[in-house]
Amino acid sequence: MPLLTITGFPKSGKTTIARQLEEYLKSKGKTVNLISDEDFDDKNTIYSVIAKEKSMREDLKSRVERCLSKDSITILDAANYIKGYRYELYCMSKSNFTTQCLVHSLISIDTCRKRNEQSSNKYTPEIFEQLINSYEYPNSTNRWDCPLISVAEGETPWEEVENALLKLPPPPPNMSTQSQPLSSTNFIHQLDRETKNIVKQILDNQKSHGGTLKIADGVNLNLVKPFSPMELRKHQREFMRSRYMMMNINSHKGSNYFRSYSLRHLIVYVGD
């Protein structure tokens, strides 16, 4: 199920938004996992030491990864002020074939500063200004920040957030990172056998018809030149390498691709 990421300045009301969204989604019958950086004590110390801040981010990301499932919505309540970190979260939800949404708490710096001064759990002025100056604003043109919903003080666009999470399709996964289906375990073996058979047909036709390859319906395919067994096997191996990642097609289609591939690379013209 989806990942809902909250971002914003320190003391911008991120935790309030996260809890309101948790309550709203639960009222719609959804199972919600709320993960928050409020679980960490003394964030002044954490943000003053790079290694400790990085450790906190990794811990939060690990919790998110453990919670992502088809049965629940995961909310991450934290600063999430680094766009590279938001990208990592996006990739995580993408690899889990689920949607994601970024909610930006849109509160002015002055308001956040006043809230911090009045808070019993305040940031030091140095850490507060450091977080403000380091904040990388979300941009809806970036795929990892999209869909982006900005929430001003007093606004409650929870239905819009729900629609973004549950009604939009998830981003398509990268083909290069996908595991090949187990049903195609024998694909390469079968395709290798069938393409070798096509090579044999070409060699047999060369012996009986010279440079003309006889195929069905009385069509003659005129080869560029006579090809030796070594040349045709090299041609077949190149094709096999080019099709290695196409594990989701069956061997029959693969052999048809090889025929087309051969026509493009070995044949000058088609005649009657």
Side-chain angles (χ1 to χ4, degrees):
M1 290 289 278
L3 170 62
L4 176 55
T5 304
I6 314 292
T7 185
F9 293 138
K11 302 301 179 181
S12 61
K14 298 185 296 297
T15 299
T16 299
I17 290 174
R19 288 174 178 167
Q20 289 178 351
L21 278 167
E22 178 188 26
E23 183 179 349
Y24 172 84
L25 291 168
K26 283 183 175 179
S27 73
K28 297 292 184 175
K30 308 301 179 185
T31 300
V32 181
N33 302 307
L34 177 57
I35 299 169
S36 178
D37 65 358
E38 291 297 310
D39 297 337
F40 293 82
D41 296 327
D42 195 8
K43 285 192 284 185
N44 282 306
T45 300
I46 291 173
Y47 283 115
S48 64
V49 180
I50 294 176
K52 289 184 177 181
E53 182 188 351
K54 183 178 179 180
S55 177
M56 179 183 72
R57 289 200 305 269
E58 290 301 314
D59 185 90
L60 290 169
K61 189 169 68 171
S62 295
R63 294 188 198 181
V64 169
E65 188 169 19
R66 288 194 298 270
C67 288
L68 283 178
S69 74
K70 63 180 181 179
D71 302 318
S72 63
I73 295 173
T74 300
I75 301 175
L76 176 58
D77 164 35
N80 300 315
Y81 68 94
I82 301 172
K83 64 181 180 181
Y85 184 64
R86 296 197 298 266
Y87 176 73
E88 291 177 9
L89 294 169
Y90 163 81
C91 290
M92 188 186 302
S93 64
K94 182 177 179 178
S95 66
N96 280 274
F97 307 100
T98 188
T99 55
Q100 68 122 33
C101 179
L102 183 66
V103 173
H104 180 204
S105 181
L106 200 61
I107 306 298
S108 71
I109 295 175
D110 287 341
T111 299
C112 292
R113 188 177 286 112
K114 289 178 181 177
R115 288 180 178 179
N116 186 57
E117 292 170 354
Q118 297 167 1
S119 173
S120 59
N121 186 26
K122 66 178 65 176
Y123 293 97
T124 65
E126 294 77 17
I127 294 297
F128 180 86
E129 296 302 327
Q130 171 188 312
L131 292 172
I132 292 292
N133 293 329
S134 301
Y135 190 79
E136 296 179 316
Y137 287 84
N139 185 338
S140 60
T141 61
N142 296 329
R143 62 187 183 279
W144 56 87
D145 287 338
C146 183
L148 172 64
I149 299 174
S150 296
V151 180
E153 189 170 11
E155 293 182 344
T156 54
W158 308 151
E159 185 176 355
E160 183 182 357
V161 174
E162 180 187 14
N163 290 338
L165 289 173
L166 302 178
K167 294 186 178 181
L168 293 179
N174 297 324
M175 291 302 296
S176 60
T177 63
Q178 296 308 293
S179 300
Q180 303 302 336
L182 293 177
S183 59
S184 297
T185 303
N186 297 323
F187 170 80
I188 290 296
H189 174 71
Q190 293 172 0
L191 183 59
D192 182 64
R193 184 179 61 211
E194 294 193 21
T195 52
K196 283 179 178 177
N197 184 52
I198 293 171
V199 167
K200 183 177 182 300
Q201 292 176 24
I202 294 174
L203 290 171
D204 290 344
N205 270 275
Q206 284 187 152
K207 290 177 182 178
S208 55
H209 301 288
T212 300
L213 177 62
K214 297 281 188 178
I215 62 171
D217 302 324
V219 176
N220 298 328
L221 301 178
N222 296 278
L223 302 179
V224 175
K225 65 180 183 68
F227 288 91
S228 69
M230 184 177 295
E231 288 175 306
L232 289 174
R233 286 173 188 139
K234 178 183 177 184
H235 169 74
Q236 185 256 355
R237 287 195 298 270
E238 289 174 349
F239 172 82
M240 291 296 295
R241 281 196 296 269
S242 71
R243 291 297 182 269
Y244 184 77
M245 293 304 294
M246 297 179 63
M247 300 288 281
N248 60 331
I249 63 173
N250 60 49
S251 60
H252 175 69
K253 288 183 178 179
S255 60
N256 287 337
Y257 289 151
F258 183 56
R259 290 188 179 93
S260 300
Y261 181 85
S262 299
L263 296 186
R264 290 196 302 272
H265 290 78
L266 303 180
I267 293 163
V268 174
Y269 62 89
V270 178
D272 297 327

